[in-house]
Every structure is written in structure tokens, then in C-alpha cells.
Amino acid sequence: MRLNPLNGRWVTIVAERAKRPSDFAPRDDLGDPDEGRACPFCPGNEEETPPALETVEADGSWSMRVIPNKYPAFDGDEGFAVHNLGPVFVQAEASGIHEVFVYTPDHDSGLHQLDDQHAADMMFALKRRLSEHADVDQVRYTQAIVNHGREAGASIAHPHGQILGLPFVPGEVLDEERAFARFAGGCLLCTTVEAEIAADARIVLATDEVVVITPFWSGSPYELLIVPRRHEAHLQDADDDSLAAVGVALRDALGQLNAVLGDVAFNLGFHTAPHQHTGQYHWHAHVWPNLITQAGFERGTGVMINVLPPEDACATLKSVAANA
């Protein structure tokens, strides 16, 4: 890992990941990344992957598998140590864990097509993985993600996620922790849920356990924020009812996105408090559909330009649900 001294954030250099079959393909050549080869995540091809770390069985066959990533961005059990190589050259070992979470055996399925129990089981599996990561000394934070579609960074079409145990707390999560600490009205996200329910302009769906919002501060079209209503800092501390509700709500919200936009590429990220941190935080999830390209202004300033007001996005998503 190398430190960017301009913003204080770490960059991970992993040359081995460029060996993946889909990397650096010209944009015009982007097709089915699995074309011409057996899908390593489909049933019957289990020998194409490293041995599973965890398998969930259903009806006599597996419904979910967690396997080590063959091209890990973080690997090894060395402790976090910073090395100064020069006046502005700071380096550290990228120790940690990198797992692939194959959350369905169906190559042509997706999160929006899981049944209620499968959606709940997916969240229970995440809880188990995060709990295990929390007991690993060199892992300070675990990031669970789903990249759906080539434009979102998926190198294999079969639905899957990734679970990365990092030796540092990423800047995005540190910024969120600071925001929770600065907020004087209690919990920032508990207050957000209350305010959004009162405003009733950006609530995509709400139950007693979870709320899905197109947040007031959306930086991109159809951005979604999924907030469990039970306040817990760590995802792995949530109870089964809360986790199951989040899984089903996530499934339903993605189904609404699919109904409005078709099979759109998206990124899903779960944000939870860093392991061993006890400060103010409320775990949650973000969905960012890949509908626009970041240009020079966004990359140069970090300021997003959203061409669709979140109120309009919410209204469109709710209309689809009403007509279902």
C-alpha cells in the first residue's frame, strides 16, 4: 500500500490482479466476460476455485459459497507497519483478507430475484464473515461489496460479492465516523430516518425494521441508502430480524431499480463501524447505480453533479412498486 500525501488516503498496488482475463479490455470489446469459458462460480465447477471457507446448503445442494479470492488485493498476516522510503514516499504491507461471496448458484439470477429466506440467509452469512474477520488481529475494517455488471467492475457475470478485510480504516468510513461524532442531535442516521419519514418525499420503502431512502444529498441518479431502524454500530451485532429485513428490503429496492432502469450496473457497499471501534456509528448500506460517468470536475473536486433530483427518483421507484 502507498499513501497519497495530498489527501491522506491509502492506495493499494496489486500488479497480480492485472492477470485477470477481463482486465484492460478495450471499451468496444466489453461483452460477456464469461464467454468461451466455464463459469467458476456455477455448480459443478467448484474445482475451478480454491476450497470454500463456508458453504450454505439448501435442498441438498449449496445455495451460497464463500471462497478465497484467487487474485487478492489484501493478503497475509503481517501487522500494519508504515515504512518511510523518502520525504513523500510512505508504504505499508497490504495484509488482510480477500474473499468472494457467491450468494446464489443461479448464473442468470441477481439480488433482486432472491426469495425472502435466501435474502435473509445472505445477510446472516455476511454477519458470520464479519464476526470472523473481527477476530483477526491485522484486520481493522471489513468492506463487503457487490459489483453488478461490467460497468460496475464485475469481472465475472455470475452474481457474487466480495468481502475484504483491511489492515486500515478507509478514509470514507473515517469521514463518516467524524460526521457521527460532530452531529449534536444524537445518531445522525436515526435522525435522518425520522426526518425523511416526516418529509415523505424520498422514502422508497419503509417497514418497522428498515428504511430505504433516495437521500436528500444524493450525488448520483437513483442512489439508495438502506438504514436498519435498530441502532447498531456493527453489522455483526444486528439481530436476525433486522438483518433479514435489510436483506428483503435490499432485494425489493433493487427490484424496483430493475423495473425502472432494466438490468442496470450498480455498486452495493455495506458500511459498518471499524472492528474494535466503540464510537458513535450506525451501520447501513449504499447502492450506486452506474448511470453516469465521473468527469474531470467530479474527480478533480470530489463534488458530484446529480442530474436527477432524489425526490423525482423516489417518485418513479414508488410508482413501479404501486403498479406491481
Side-chain angles (χ1 to χ4, degrees):
M1 300 189 304
R2 300 178 183 179
L3 186 68
N4 180 339
L6 288 173
N7 59 19
R9 298 195 175 187
W10 289 100
V11 175
T12 306
I13 310 296
V14 194
E16 290 80 4
R17 284 181 68 80
K19 298 175 183 176
R20 297 184 302 175
S22 61
D23 282 339
F24 305 129
R27 179 64 187 167
D28 291 344
D29 293 343
L30 292 180
D32 182 357
D34 300 332
E35 187 175 0
R37 61 189 176 113
C39 173
F41 297 162
C42 279
N45 298 332
E46 289 82 4
E47 72 282 354
E48 298 294 326
T49 70
L53 301 167
E54 178 177 339
T55 301
V56 178
E57 302 283 343
D59 299 325
S61 58
W62 65 264
S63 63
M64 291 180 283
R65 299 178 75 225
V66 179
I67 55 179
N69 195 304
K70 290 178 69 174
Y71 306 98
F74 298 89
D75 190 29
D77 55 8
E78 298 180 54
F80 184 78
V82 172
H83 311 286
N84 290 288
L85 307 183
V88 293
F89 306 135
V90 180
Q91 183 172 295
E93 285 74 27
S95 301
I97 302 168
H98 194 167
E99 301 168 347
V100 175
F101 182 21
V102 184
Y103 57 81
T104 174
D106 187 347
H107 186 90
D108 298 315
S109 182
L111 273 173
H112 67 290
Q113 295 173 300
L114 303 181
D115 62 34
D116 287 2
Q117 187 59 56
H118 202 138
D121 287 342
M122 180 188 73
M123 296 302 301
F124 301 157
L126 278 181
K127 175 177 180 174
R128 291 192 297 272
R129 300 316 302 162
L130 267 66
S131 295
E132 186 165 318
H133 284 206
D135 291 333
V136 178
D137 289 342
Q138 73 270 22
V139 173
R140 295 187 59 198
Y141 181 78
T142 297
Q143 179 65 68
I145 61 170
V146 172
N147 299 327
H148 175 76
R150 289 298 306 279
E151 296 85 353
S155 59
I156 293 177
H158 191 118
H160 67 285
Q162 299 181 61
I163 307 170
L164 299 96
L166 312 180
F168 65 98
V169 180
E172 187 74 16
V173 175
L174 287 173
D175 285 346
E176 288 190 349
E177 281 197 303
R178 295 183 188 110
F180 277 101
R182 287 195 306 267
F183 189 70
C187 169
L188 175 56
L189 282 187
C190 287
T191 304
T192 296
V193 167
E194 293 174 1
E196 290 287 13
I197 289 175
D200 195 26
R202 291 169 294 272
I203 298 291
V204 177
L205 61 89
T207 71
D208 291 341
E209 294 284 355
V210 62
V211 175
V212 179
I213 305 164
T214 53
F216 180 79
W217 56 82
S218 297
S220 58
Y222 292 101
E223 177 180 336
L224 298 175
L225 176 65
I226 299 92
V227 185
R229 299 181 78 160
R230 300 191 191 192
H231 180 97
E232 295 288 355
H234 298 91
L235 182 155
Q236 60 266 34
D237 292 333
D239 65 21
D240 286 355
D241 288 343
S242 182
L243 288 169
V246 168
V248 171
L250 183 58
R251 186 272 315 275
D252 290 346
L254 289 172
Q256 290 168 254
L257 270 179
N258 190 274
V260 170
L261 302 171
D263 187 21
V264 63
F266 66 83
N267 300 105
L268 162 65
F270 292 91
H271 280 181
T272 179
H275 301 308
Q276 316 309 326
H277 283 211
T278 57
Q280 185 70 261
Y281 200 83
H282 188 141
W283 79 272
H284 57 281
H286 299 271
V287 174
W288 299 282
N290 281 243
L291 298 171
I292 58 173
T293 300
Q294 287 193 24
F297 176 77
E298 290 87 351
R299 290 185 178 275
T301 64
V303 178
M304 302 300 294
I305 297 177
N306 188 356
V307 298
L308 179 70
E311 298 79 13
D312 295 350
C314 181
T316 301
L317 293 171
K318 289 175 71 173
S319 70
V320 170
N323 295 328

